[in-house]
Amino acid sequence: MSGTSQQQQLLADSACRKGVFITLEGGEGAGKSSHLALVREYMEGLGYEVECTREPGGTKLAEQIRSILLTKDDEESLCSTSELLLMYAARAQLVNSKIKPLLEQGKVVISDRFDLSTYAYQGFGRGIDLNSIDSLREVAIGSFRPDLTLLFDVDGEVGMERIRVRKAKDRIEQESLAFFQKVREGFLEGAKRNADIAEIIDANKSFDEVSNAVLAVLQKRFPRN
Ligand code: T5A
């Protein structure tokens, strides 16, 4: 991207920041989805209108891409490159057609997973070159970033145990423990790279302890008057 168009992109991104964009990230069974309601309630308590979404997915087209990504096909396996490209296709669609317009209206948008998941799963889990991921991110969403990322850091084994009871595991959930350990490393590394917006929650603890940690972060970042 040229200097001028990069500047224009940054301006466009900050112009839509009347609202607040919060993402919940972490490995399988980390407790993201279970804590979405708590984050929503807290932000509504501050007087915001809140919309929740998820990745991959969140719009009609992006949900179709999600279905390709998460359905295991015994006849033809999805290669890692296609997986990465589809994640970014879904993200570009979600950001442009849903998240940015909502932020422009001053709403809070909470997303169950976002770009840090690609860094962790496709970068560390699949081993795709991180510079290539950076380039694709630039194409798909430019400099668009969350205002706050809550990283639910869970040990691979603990997370897998929590979802063990699920009857149908999706294509990615069927990966090995070694894969999820690399993913965890990727999340922690990604949080370091985004230290200004990322808060790490110890998600190995009890449900109530995790909830309290989430509330403490929200109170620090968005204090009640
Ligand atoms: N993906 C996604 C990529 O590879 N790259 C990307 O860029 C993106 C965006 C999405 C898949 O796509 C991959 C990652 C994923 O594999 P999904 O259906 O959205 O899949 O699934 P997950 O987000 O992984 O959902 P999970 O349900 O597995 O994890 P959650 O949401 O973190 O866990 P949650 O809240 O559903 O909790 C799981 C269970 O644990 C219990 C809950 O009650 C629930 O039963 N639990 C706890 N139990 C004890 N103590 C605690 N502290 C607990 N917290 C939760």
Side-chain angles (χ1 to χ4, degrees), residues 28 31-34 66 91 113 118 121-122 166 205:
E28 314 292 319
K32 303 174 306 300
S33 314
S34 312
R66 177 186 175 94
R91 185 159 308 136
R113 294 194 182 280
T118 307
Y121 280 81
Q122 281 63 53
R166 278 184 195 161
K205 294 191 170 166

Side-chain angles (χ1 to χ4, degrees), residues 126-137:
R126 300 284 187 228
I128 297 178
D129 173 51
L130 297 175
N131 291 323
S132 306
I133 294 183
D134 286 344
S135 305
L136 265 180
R137 176 185 312 109

